[in-house]
Amino acid sequence: PLTGSLTCDEMAPAAMSLFNFNGVSSLAFTIDTDLPRSFQVGCDSSLHVSLHLTDGAGGGMIFEADYNGAYDWAAWSDPAVEPTGAHSFKKDCPAVLPQQSVWEQWTYYMLGEGTLTGTGLYAGSSFALSHQPANGFYGFQVGQGANNKNDQYGASGWFFWNGNLVVDGEDLGALASSGDLFLDLDCCLPYSVDYDYLASDDCGNTTPFSYSVEMQTGLTEEGAGLAGQGGLIHTDNPTNISTGSGSIKTPLRITGLQPNPTADISQLSFEVTEPLRLHVDLYTMNGLHVNQLYDGMAETGVVYQLPIDVANLAAGMYQIRISGNQFGIVRKLLVSP
């Protein structure tokens, strides 16, 4: 429907825009597809978004945010249901799904807390995130056309950032402004639900029974890319999206990470359902590479066990990133004092 363009505003697509950042009125970031990213929906109406972003000129940001709510349109728009008052939606593009009330099918979240952590040129920068606007009139919206850029299934939201800016090692002091997030989500979330029951009769006899409902859906054959002017895309590989339970259908299964936390050595265990090339690396939460744990082919029928020596590392949280050609998984490891 948007012939000759990638986005409704005729601009190159961006996953994030920061306004009044480092002397630029609007600086665009795209997803770094070489690093893991996730969009995790929890059963408790929570949402966690984790992205590695790049400005294409040596600067990067790690976006981590927790959202809550999962309101449908009735709850989001009705002041009798949503105590903070009737809310609205962002649909700045009339050409996207015109004459359709698609916002009534969207899911709405509120930003609880989050961080932007600088990498590369912006290493050392650190910003706290909060919901924008402060009155919560607009939410983080998820659904068909909700990315506010095109008619694909996606998400978008406004946020406020506040913290300290470092550019090329130089501390430029405090900085604060707004930002926008725009995401294409080109596959459906798999899910599984377990039901456990205990039936009893008048005599007190009990009988337990249970069953499971499971939905497994994969990536679209076209992947998560966009086609259009200049060949610019949000992501050039399928985006791996996982639920909070980690039930995404991938050829890798992590069977253990123990002990966690640890003060000396932990062990990562995994197996694969098809032969594939794997990279396993240890990173700080700021995105700094600490150590390569594995780089090679993994074969089926083998349980791989990788020792992770953290005895010489500072206490704190670290990331173990396991990646193949078309997916990435992150596990957190806490190093105790």
Side-chain angles (χ1 to χ4, degrees):
L2 305 178
T3 304
S5 69
L6 290 170
T7 57
C8 62
D9 50 19
E10 298 294 332
M11 297 175 65
M16 181 178 72
S17 293
L18 297 181
F19 307 114
N20 302 313
F21 180 83
N22 193 27
V24 180
S25 60
S26 178
L27 183 60
F29 290 79
T30 56
I31 294 175
D32 188 338
T33 57
D34 292 328
L35 296 174
R37 63 273 189 196
S38 64
F39 190 93
Q40 300 177 335
V41 178
C43 297
D44 57 352
S45 299
S46 66
L47 169 65
H48 180 76
V49 179
S50 177
L51 301 169
H52 286 79
L53 302 149
T54 175
D55 65 1
M61 286 286 172
I62 301 173
F63 180 98
E64 294 271 357
D66 289 300
Y67 298 83
N68 55 73
Y71 300 103
D72 61 14
W73 178 245
W76 182 251
S77 61
D78 187 350
V81 178
E82 198 349 82
T84 58
H87 292 158
S88 190
F89 57 90
K90 290 279 285 181
K91 190 173 185 292
D92 296 339
C93 312
V96 172
L97 302 171
Q99 300 178 332
Q100 298 185 44
S101 302
V102 290
W103 57 87
E104 295 182 1
Q105 308 301 319
W106 294 348
T107 304
Y108 298 85
Y109 293 87
M110 294 289 288
L111 173 59
E113 59 182 9
T115 57
L116 272 180
T117 305
T119 62
L121 183 66
Y122 306 125
S125 299
S126 180
F127 304 96
L129 306 181
S130 57
H131 196 87
Q132 183 82 344
N135 63 8
F137 190 71
Y138 298 114
F140 185 77
Q141 55 197 40
V142 181
Q144 188 73 30
N147 55 22
N148 220 24
K149 284 286 187 178
N150 53 46
D151 63 354
Q152 298 191 46
Y153 187 88
S156 65
W158 195 11
F159 57 88
F160 182 79
W161 50 271
N162 179 32
N164 205 71
L165 175 64
V166 177
V167 179
D168 202 17
E170 181 181 357
D171 191 337
L172 300 183
L175 195 66
S177 188
S178 298
D180 275 324
L181 198 66
F182 313 99
L183 302 175
D184 285 343
L185 306 174
D186 287 350
C187 67
C188 299
L189 294 170
Y191 66 87
S192 61
V193 181
D194 297 324
Y195 295 91
D196 295 296
Y197 296 90
L198 184 65
S200 61
D201 60 20
D202 293 340
C203 298
N205 300 311
T206 61
T207 302
F209 68 95
S210 63
Y211 66 91
S212 299
V213 176
E214 184 170 323
M215 176 64 71
Q216 292 287 348
T217 55
L219 298 163
T220 62
E221 292 182 1
E222 295 81 7
L226 292 172
Q229 63 186 36
L232 295 172
I233 54 178
H234 283 281
T235 58
D236 56 12
N237 287 312
T239 302
N240 185 38
I241 302 175
S242 63
T243 62
S245 62
S247 59
I248 189 72
K249 193 174 183 180
T250 68
L252 172 72
R253 187 170 76 92
I254 296 176
T255 58
L257 178 60
Q258 297 293 335
N260 187 12
T262 182
D264 46 25
I265 294 179
S266 184
Q267 183 167 274
L268 173 70
S269 303
F270 64 87
E271 56 187 0
V272 297
T273 58
E274 62 183 58
L276 73 161
R277 179 70 178 268
L278 282 181
H279 303 277
V280 184
D281 296 273
L282 184 66
Y283 285 82
T284 68
M285 294 301 291
N286 291 330
L288 298 178
H289 186 261
V290 177
N291 192 20
Q292 184 179 80
L293 305 175
Y294 184 85
D295 181 7
M297 289 296 299
E299 302 293 338
T300 59
V302 179
V303 177
Y304 291 83
Q305 297 180 335
L306 301 181
I308 306 172
D309 188 351
V310 299
N312 295 322
L313 298 181
M317 189 71 74
Y318 291 80
Q319 292 181 346
I320 301 172
R321 301 178 185 174
I322 308 104
S323 59
N325 289 334
Q326 302 294 332
F327 72 93
I329 296 176
V330 176
R331 289 292 183 268
K332 293 181 179 179
L333 175 65
L334 179 60
V335 177
S336 57

